[in-house]
Amino acid sequence: EVYMLKGTEVMATASVGVVAYPEDGECAENLLKNAEVAMYEAKKQGKNTVAFYTRELNIQVEKRLSMETRLHKALSRGEFSLNYQPQVCLKTGLIIGMEALLRWTTDTDGPVSPAQFIPILEETGLIMEVGEWVLHNACCQCAEWERNGLSGLRVSVNISALQFMRSDLDVTVRNVLQLSGLDPQKLCLELTESMIMIDSSRTMQKLESLTQLGITLSLDDFGTGYSSLEYLGRLPIRELKIDQSFVRRMANTKNDAAVVNTIIAMGHGLGMELVAEGVENKEQLGYLYGEKCGVVQGFLFSKPLPANDFAGFCRGWIPEAVFNMMK
């Protein structure tokens, strides 16, 4: 429907949740509660639609509420940890850094998939506090490795849209760098396209204030959104990450190979470093090497590892191994 509000046309759509009596509830209170569950499912499906209540929906809602409650206590209970996935330079074969990845392990259910809990952290705003914890611990770990002889590594940390838009991120990063003693050049922040592809002076100021700290900014999952190339060229971004969905399909799908080639060519043209994630076999590795993609990460080298295992992996790494993998 279109409504006129003070001379302005406003479009409004409806999301409808449907219940049936008595199958979905024998009293008004239960019927209304279950209708609300179905309504939120309609919103989740893209809004302006109708969804019917099912018992499975109720189970999903109860699971989500339970997870949300436990997430509120997870940080204070010490249930979060970081794993690190190595990033390998294809020019030298050296491990040049690692991506820090958040993990959640509960006493009752064990490890919980990031795909399940990270969206809830973002929707509840808990990502602000947890994100700062990740940043602090990743920088402290990297600085500790540097002091203990595992030098020359940089750590990449994912930043959520909420962290980027709602906080003084530059102040937080400056404080974390000072507390950890980490060289700013050893920190890379991974931002998403949707987060920064807004041509506004506020966004540009945020990015500039971060780069003035001496850190590197990386554009994560590049190619999955809608980038303005003209805008991209003006951003203080020094690295493009090629999304693993393209890397996994590029050997079988011409379109995906073309996207990867275009991203690499664009990165070279803009003087940016290129990182391909999700490399799982030697064919993908050989292709990326041939296209002169600078850095790769993926299960072909290592899954994300706890800190101690990662340090051991790095100390046992032989640079020639990456070239032997392509033979």
Side-chain angles (χ1 to χ4, degrees):
E1 289 289 336
V2 178
Y3 298 93
M4 293 296 293
L5 292 177
K6 295 182 180 179
T8 303
E9 286 189 352
V10 178
M11 177 75 74
T13 60
S15 298
V16 180
V18 179
V19 290
Y21 172 84
E23 294 91 339
D24 300 330
E26 295 185 354
C27 66
E29 185 182 356
N30 282 344
L31 285 167
L32 284 170
K33 184 186 83 168
N34 292 340
E36 186 177 29
V37 168
M39 179 196 69
Y40 278 111
E41 177 63 17
K43 286 179 179 287
K44 196 167 128 188
Q45 289 176 13
K47 303 180 182 178
N48 194 28
T49 188
V50 177
F52 288 82
Y53 173 80
T54 63
R55 284 185 59 81
E56 287 73 23
L57 278 180
N58 214 24
I59 291 167
Q60 286 173 23
V61 169
E62 285 173 3
K63 277 185 179 176
R64 189 206 145 85
L65 287 173
S66 170
M67 192 175 289
E68 189 176 317
T69 301
R70 287 181 293 157
L71 277 170
H72 275 279
K73 301 172 184 174
L75 198 56
S76 61
R77 288 177 173 172
E79 294 177 347
F80 289 124
S81 61
L82 291 179
N83 278 2
Y84 299 89
Q85 187 169 41
Q87 296 177 327
V88 179
C89 174
L90 286 187
K91 294 168 191 167
T92 63
L94 297 169
I95 295 171
I96 54 103
M98 57 278 172
E99 181 178 1
L101 296 159
L102 181 63
R103 295 292 182 259
W104 179 33
T105 306
T106 66
D107 291 336
T108 50
D109 299 332
V112 183
S113 165
Q116 286 184 299
F117 74 82
I118 287 179
I120 299 176
L121 287 178
E122 290 172 342
E123 288 164 28
T124 57
L126 287 168
I127 196 69
M128 297 288 285
E129 187 180 6
V130 175
E132 191 166 336
W133 179 90
V134 170
L135 187 63
H136 180 264
N137 280 269
C139 287
C140 286
Q141 182 63 75
C142 192
E144 183 185 324
W145 279 329
E146 185 79 26
R147 289 191 297 269
N148 293 337
L150 208 60
S151 59
L153 299 177
R154 63 143 209 201
V155 65
S156 293
V157 179
N158 293 283
I159 299 297
S160 77
L162 208 55
Q163 282 176 288
F164 184 73
M165 297 308 296
R166 293 197 190 174
S167 70
D168 297 327
L169 186 57
D170 58 331
V171 177
T172 301
V173 173
R174 187 187 299 114
N175 291 340
V176 166
L177 288 170
Q178 287 175 350
L179 285 168
S180 64
L182 184 67
D183 178 350
Q185 293 185 350
K186 299 290 191 330
L187 175 61
C188 174
L189 297 186
E190 296 191 5
L191 312 169
T192 59
E193 276 187 83
S194 58
M195 198 188 302
I196 63 173
M197 287 299 166
I198 304 162
D199 196 350
S200 71
S201 57
R202 185 164 172 247
T203 299
M204 195 64 84
Q205 283 170 1
K206 280 176 174 283
L207 296 172
E208 290 290 357
S209 63
L210 286 167
T211 52
Q212 283 168 13
L213 297 173
I215 66 170
T216 300
L217 295 181
S218 174
L219 202 51
D220 195 16
D221 299 343
F222 187 73
T224 58
Y226 301 92
S227 301
S228 159
L229 299 186
E230 184 265 337
Y231 184 44
L232 179 62
R234 291 190 283 115
L235 294 173
I237 301 288
R238 286 177 41 200
E239 178 180 286
L240 297 181
K241 281 200 91 175
I242 304 169
D243 186 60
Q244 58 186 337
S245 61
F246 296 129
V247 173
R248 282 177 184 155
R249 297 193 304 258
M250 67 186 180
N252 303 319
T253 312
K254 284 185 179 178
N255 284 352
D256 288 303
V259 169
V260 170
N261 295 349
T262 302
I263 293 171
I264 292 173
M266 191 190 315
H268 289 157
L270 293 170
M272 296 180 182
E273 186 62 80
L274 289 141
V275 180
E277 58 184 5
V279 178
E280 296 178 351
N281 57 57
K282 66 178 185 179
E283 288 77 22
Q284 292 166 346
L285 179 64
Y287 187 89
L288 292 164
Y289 179 79
E291 294 297 320
K292 295 184 169 55
C293 177
V295 178
V296 287
Q297 70 180 87
F299 276 47
L300 179 62
F301 308 105
S302 172
K303 65 180 182 180
L305 299 166
N308 286 341
D309 294 344
F310 178 83
F313 178 84
C314 288
R315 291 194 170 101
W317 177 254
I318 300 166
E320 292 75 22
V322 69
F323 306 110
N324 292 333
M325 286 178 186
M326 289 185 271
K327 292 177 180 176

